[in-house]
Amino acid sequence: MALPWRLVWITGASTGIGAEIAKQLAEQGVVVATSARKADVLQASAKLNPHLKPYPLDVTDASAVTQTFARIEREHGSVDLVIAGAGTYAPLSLDQFKPEAFQSTYQVNYLGVINVLAAILPSFRAKKSGHIAWIASVAGYIGLPQAASYGPTKAALINLAECLQPDLAVEGITTSIINPGFVKTPLTAQNEFDMPFLMDVEEAARQTIIGLAKKKFEIAYPWKFVWILKCLQLLPYPWFFGLVRKFVLKR
Ligand SMILES: NC(=O)c1ccc[n+]([C@@H]2O[C@H](COP(=O)([O-])OP(=O)(O)OC[C@H]3O[C@@H](n4cnc5c(N)ncnc54)[C@H](OP(=O)(O)O)[C@@H]3O)[C@@H](O)[C@H]2O)c1
């Protein structure tokens, strides 16, 4: 499939889904500016494919994000597509219920995306075009055990996309929200439970790129898991909590 982008910027591009999307795009000749904190990992990937251009940063540093985006446009021209994929996850039990556990997840997962949006919007609005995507999760559809610090940040990102899509569309800017199920990456490697419908990262990246090329608003996979969760969302709460206790908590 012919890809509609010359220059793409991806945050969270050192490992996992972001790194694989960057790799697949670069293999198809797209120039990809890659950002994450691990500069050495970004540079090592760039050595393998010169279409990858490393721009290390921490997404929680708003001014670094703004300066990095300005530098990318100065050095490579107008960015066509931005994928804000930087994210963090740690399971949280009631014993770990401390404000710090929530603050760090919120800073990276939610405010990290806000920092990227604030950095790119002036340029995208001025040119009245561009495509903005950010990675939430199917964990944002419904609350699940152990996900109390992670799930709400992803629910907020889905809601944010719904809030912004109409205003951005009027300005000629495309919005996409990417909602993966379980994908084999360093982030999920820490899960000790059996992950239903676990996907390979190559397939997750492939489906993301196809969805973005089609300018879909929601890109969610794998479809069976997505539909199970969307149906669970419609259940009355007593039924929903009954199923969670039986099949997730198993007590
Ligand atoms: N894997 C799944 O099953 C799954 C499911 C649903 C949603 N997601 C979402 O998909 C995205 C990618 O996750 P993944 O599974 O590919 O995990 P991953 O391999 O751990 O990738 C996370 C990426 O985010 C970067 N990152 C973390 N904190 C950062 C910060 N403060 N500043 C800049 N970059 C930062 C990491 O790089 P550095 O450490 O080098 O900074 C890494 O490149 C996340 O938003 C995650 O929540 C994943």
Side-chain angles (χ1 to χ4, degrees):
M1 144 183 243
L3 299 177
W5 317 289
R6 188 192 64 83
L7 178 60
V8 175
W9 181 33
I10 304 179
T11 70
S14 61
T15 59
I17 300 171
E20 183 59 29
I21 295 171
K23 177 171 169 273
Q24 291 187 16
L25 289 176
E27 281 168 358
Q28 294 178 69
V30 179
V31 177
V32 187
T34 54
S35 291
R37 291 164 303 175
K38 293 189 201 82
D40 52 337
V41 178
L42 297 178
Q43 271 139 16
S45 306
K47 281 198 182 124
L48 299 175
N49 190 321
H51 283 101
L52 295 172
K53 311 288 180 192
Y55 287 87
L57 59 66
D58 185 326
V59 291
T60 63
D61 181 344
S63 64
V65 174
T66 302
Q67 284 164 23
T68 300
F69 179 69
R71 230 185 96 209
I72 294 167
E73 290 223 306
R74 210 167 46 241
E75 292 174 4
H76 299 286
S78 173
V79 172
D80 304 303
L81 166 68
V82 174
I83 304 172
T88 185
Y89 162 74
L92 188 113
S93 68
L94 288 182
D95 297 335
Q96 301 152 320
F97 206 98
K98 303 237 162 47
E100 308 86 75
F102 290 80
Q103 281 154 3
S104 56
T105 315
Y106 181 71
Q107 288 286 342
V108 178
N109 293 6
Y110 187 71
L111 294 182
V113 171
I114 297 295
N115 290 340
V116 170
L117 287 172
I120 66 179
L121 275 179
S123 162
F124 278 27
R125 292 184 73 192
K127 68 183 178 187
K128 297 199 179 306
S129 68
H131 188 162
I132 306 175
W134 52 97
I135 305 185
S137 168
V138 297
Y141 294 163
I142 49 176
L144 288 167
Q146 301 277 316
S149 83
Y150 180 79
T153 66
K154 298 302 187 176
L157 287 175
I158 295 170
N159 193 290
L160 178 73
E162 292 165 358
C163 291
L164 292 180
Q165 195 281 349
D167 282 336
L168 292 175
V170 167
E171 302 225 2
I173 300 165
T174 306
T175 308
S176 295
I177 184 78
I178 303 160
N179 290 324
F182 290 111
V183 181
K184 252 185 250 171
T185 68
L187 183 136
T188 47
Q190 61 186 313
N191 284 340
E192 286 167 356
F193 56 89
D194 283 339
M195 291 175 268
F197 302 98
L198 183 63
M199 269 177 102
D200 285 331
V201 72
E202 292 81 6
E203 181 57 19
R206 198 184 70 82
Q207 291 197 25
T208 304
I209 293 169
I210 291 172
L212 290 170
K214 290 182 177 166
K215 296 195 171 184
K216 283 177 73 174
F217 172 69
E218 187 187 15
I219 299 159
Y221 45 76
W223 69 269
K224 281 185 192 159
F225 193 40
V226 167
W227 281 104
I228 289 170
L229 293 175
K230 285 199 186 242
C231 291
L232 282 177
Q233 219 180 359
L234 300 174
L235 290 181
Y237 277 126
W239 296 12
F240 169 67
F241 291 132
L243 288 171
V244 169
R245 279 194 69 162
K246 186 163 181 200
F247 293 105
V248 184
L249 292 186
K250 296 188 173 140
R251 62 190 159 96

